[in-house]
Amino acid sequence: TATTEIYTLSLHDALPIYTREQDLLEMAQRAGVPCDDEASRRALTREWYGFVHAAVVYGLMAQASNQVMAEYLRSTRTLLSQMAGYTPEQIESFIDDTFSSYIRLMAQNQQKQCPSLFYQRLVGEGALETLPKERVAFLSGMMAITMCAILDKLGQYEFGVE
């Protein structure tokens, strides 16, 4: 059923846009986000997963019952552990920090602030002022496309009130 499918929504498999590592690294390079070493690649992946996960939850908030959303949130720990290899401490940090930062903006209908937050967290304060505008526009576009793809994907499900 659609409810069962959404419970197991994978950050890698269900969302086709920029969730594979190679795609993510290419996007980061085009956007001017550092990804030269292992630590910066891990930070980039964590940040992108935070944005994508927040976008899924945002979509569920608008389209699904509380039960579906609660089950998705419960399954997050398993997804992050199995798919991304996160430890329990890393999962807590991801939820309390990375995910929370993006979902807060989305819940306040401030999605346009997500690219600024992304740059701030990965490049540092003032990064937007120093980067070429086309790099910032590219990341903004990729985030908007990803958000639309997620909302479109979720729109394909029929979420019944249970």
Side-chain angles (χ1 to χ4, degrees), residues 142-158:
M142 292 311 306
M143 290 179 115
I145 288 169
T146 301
M147 177 77 90
C148 288
I150 290 166
L151 295 176
D152 182 61
K153 178 77 172 173
L154 293 174
Q156 295 172 17
Y157 294 99
E158 291 184 26

Side-chain angles (χ1 to χ4, degrees), residues 46 76-78 80-82 84-96:
R46 175 188 166 105
T76 297
R77 293 177 192 286
T78 303
L80 291 172
S81 176
Q82 292 176 352
Y86 283 17
T87 66
E89 295 79 21
Q90 289 171 317
I91 292 169
E92 288 302 315
S93 175
F94 173 85
I95 292 169
D96 292 343

